[in-house]
């Protein structure tokens, strides 16, 4: 529900003591300035005010929907995405289906096709950003996010962009994965937000 860029940190007394004794130069993990300013209600750097307002709105949205409905929606959209990926004949990067994520689905590109080139084409053609494979998965997978302020229609639009991108890039796939996701969402019960 909130754009990326905001994080929260908690520091245990043990971690704070370790930070004070550390000899390595650091900035991000130096807590003194942050804690000193925090005592007076201030932030020592330029605060991400827009993200703090966004956080307030995201929390209000989640309270309004109710957390069970939020989780159910994310689970439903995740399953629709996985059905699309399987419908295209692509593998899902997850060894154990019991461990599938409600946050994102990583699709494995067929051998000989570069996921980063595919992602670049999708971005250029449809102004849609897909996640990249990290480390040893760079160029081998692309990631489809399905969490946050997302509903059935916005997910189907994203999946249609992926399916069109696969065709444009000449990636071997079966057409109709987006249709499989649509059929699942049309039949699925639960929150429709």
């Amino acid at each position: 529900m909130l754009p990326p860029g905001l994080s929260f940190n908690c520091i245990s007394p043990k971690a704070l003591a370790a930070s004070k004794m550390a000899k390595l130069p650091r900035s991000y993990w130096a807590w003194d300035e942050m804690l000193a300013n925090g005592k007076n209600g201030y932030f020592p750097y330029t605060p991400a005010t827009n993200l703090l307002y966004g956080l307030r709105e995201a929390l209000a949205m989640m309270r309004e929907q109710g957390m069970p409905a939020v989780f159910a929606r994310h689970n439903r959209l995740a399953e629709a995405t996985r059905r699309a990926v399987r419908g295209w004949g692509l593998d899902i990067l997850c060894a154990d289906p019991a461990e599938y994520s409600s946050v994102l689905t990583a699709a494995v590109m067929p051998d000989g096709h570069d996921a980063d080139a595919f992602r670049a084409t999708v971005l250029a053609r449809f102004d849609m950003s897909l996640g990249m494979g990290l480390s040893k998965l760079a160029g081998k997978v692309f990631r489809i996010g399905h969490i946050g302020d997302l509903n059935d229609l916005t997910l189907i639009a994203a999946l249609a962009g992926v399916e069109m991108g696969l065709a444009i890039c000449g990636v071997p796939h079966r057409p109709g994965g987006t249709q499989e996701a649509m059929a699942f969402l049309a039949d699925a019960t639960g929150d429709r937000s």
Side-chain angles (χ1 to χ4, degrees), residues 70-106:
V70 170
F71 290 130
R73 177 170 46 87
H74 291 149
N75 290 336
R76 194 179 76 254
L77 297 176
E79 179 58 27
T81 302
R82 291 189 291 269
R83 287 178 184 231
V85 172
R86 286 190 297 263
W88 296 321
L90 301 179
D91 290 329
I92 296 170
L93 184 70
C94 183
D96 181 0
E99 300 295 325
Y100 281 151
S101 172
S102 293
V103 174
L104 65 88
T105 297

Side-chain angles (χ1 to χ4, degrees), residues 93-169:
L93 184 70
C94 183
D96 181 0
E99 300 295 325
Y100 281 151
S101 172
S102 293
V103 174
L104 65 88
T105 297
V108 180
M109 289 294 274
D111 288 339
H113 295 272
D114 184 270
D116 292 337
F118 164 73
R119 289 176 46 257
T121 297
V122 169
L123 180 61
R125 291 290 298 268
F126 307 118
D127 196 26
M128 183 174 79
S129 180
L130 296 167
M132 68 169 124
L134 305 174
S135 187
K136 66 182 180 179
L137 297 173
K140 296 179 182 177
V141 303
F142 63 92
R143 298 177 295 141
I144 304 168
H146 35 70
I147 189 171
D149 188 20
L150 191 69
N151 62 28
D152 296 5
L153 184 59
T154 53
L155 177 67
I156 291 302
L159 296 174
V162 171
E163 189 162 343
M164 290 187 293
L166 292 169
I168 290 166
C169 291

